[in-house]
């Protein structure tokens, strides 16, 4: 999982895909953290992405760095922990202008089970399950 985290941190921006009914929804994200051995992302409970994940927790992340890409797919779950929220916001202090760990809006999601594939046009894909 560390390799997945490192790739996403290097990319800085990744794209998160969720479903809204039968319509895929994709948007850029930038938060990624490892807390308590879990790969985590952050959003606000009021955002459509939160509502989409609550309705259907299957999601996929994709990022691209220097000719190599990663796809992380799996099922996500909420990590309802003040410590997890604080850990994420401490890692991204610029978010504190909009969020704090006690605001009732900050939401941390983690992959309960996931498979990552790191690939390029010139190398064999590498699969990482966590």
């Amino acid at each position: 999982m560390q390799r997945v985290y490192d790739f996403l941190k290097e990319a800085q921006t990744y794209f998160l895909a969720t479903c809204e009914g039968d319509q895929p929804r994709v948007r850029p994200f930038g938060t990624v953290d490892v807390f308590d051995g879990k790969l985590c992302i952050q959003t606000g409970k009021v955002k459509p992405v939160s509502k989409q994940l609550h309705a259907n927790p299957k999601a996929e992340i994709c990022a691209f760095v220097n000719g190599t890409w990663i796809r992380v797919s799996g099922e996500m779950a909420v990590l309802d922990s003040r410590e997890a929220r604080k850990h994420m916001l401490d890692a991204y202090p610029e978010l504190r202008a909009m969020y704090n760990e006690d605001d009732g809006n900050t939401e941390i999601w983690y992959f309960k089970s996931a498979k990552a594939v790191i690939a390029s046009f010139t190398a064999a894909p590498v699969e990482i399950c966590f």
Side-chain angles (χ1 to χ4, degrees):
M1 180 180 42
Q2 186 65 42
R3 187 169 178 189
V4 173
Y5 169 79
D6 291 342
F7 192 106
L8 294 172
K9 283 296 281 187
E10 183 180 356
Q12 296 181 354
T13 301
Y14 57 87
F15 294 86
L16 174 67
T18 59
C19 286
E20 187 173 62
D22 66 351
Q23 177 63 50
R25 300 290 182 195
V26 180
R27 81 283 289 152
F29 259 66
T31 55
V32 63
D33 197 13
V34 174
F35 182 80
D36 198 24
K38 297 171 175 68
L39 185 70
C40 301
I41 66 170
Q42 179 272 335
T43 191
K45 291 179 183 178
V46 299
K47 292 188 173 184
V49 66
S50 172
K51 293 168 180 52
Q52 293 157 8
L53 286 169
H54 279 283
N56 179 352
K58 292 181 181 177
E60 188 162 283
I61 286 174
C62 186
F64 187 81
V65 176
N66 298 323
T68 303
W69 59 89
I70 189 169
R71 282 192 337 231
V72 184
S73 57
E75 190 171 331
M76 302 193 81
V78 173
L79 182 56
D80 190 16
S81 155
R82 182 182 192 280
E83 293 79 16
R85 293 188 296 272
K86 182 176 181 337
H87 195 266
M88 178 69 79
L89 294 173
D90 286 349
Y92 294 91
E94 64 276 13
L95 292 178
R96 289 197 173 276
M98 298 178 293
Y99 298 100
N100 77 65
E101 54 270 21
D102 298 315
D103 64 9
N105 182 40
T106 303
E107 192 169 54
I108 305 299
W109 287 85
Y110 73 97
F111 279 97
K112 286 191 337 185
S113 59
K115 179 173 91 170
V117 177
I118 299 173
S120 73
F121 290 118
T122 58
V126 174
E127 289 189 8
I128 304 165
C129 295
F130 56 96

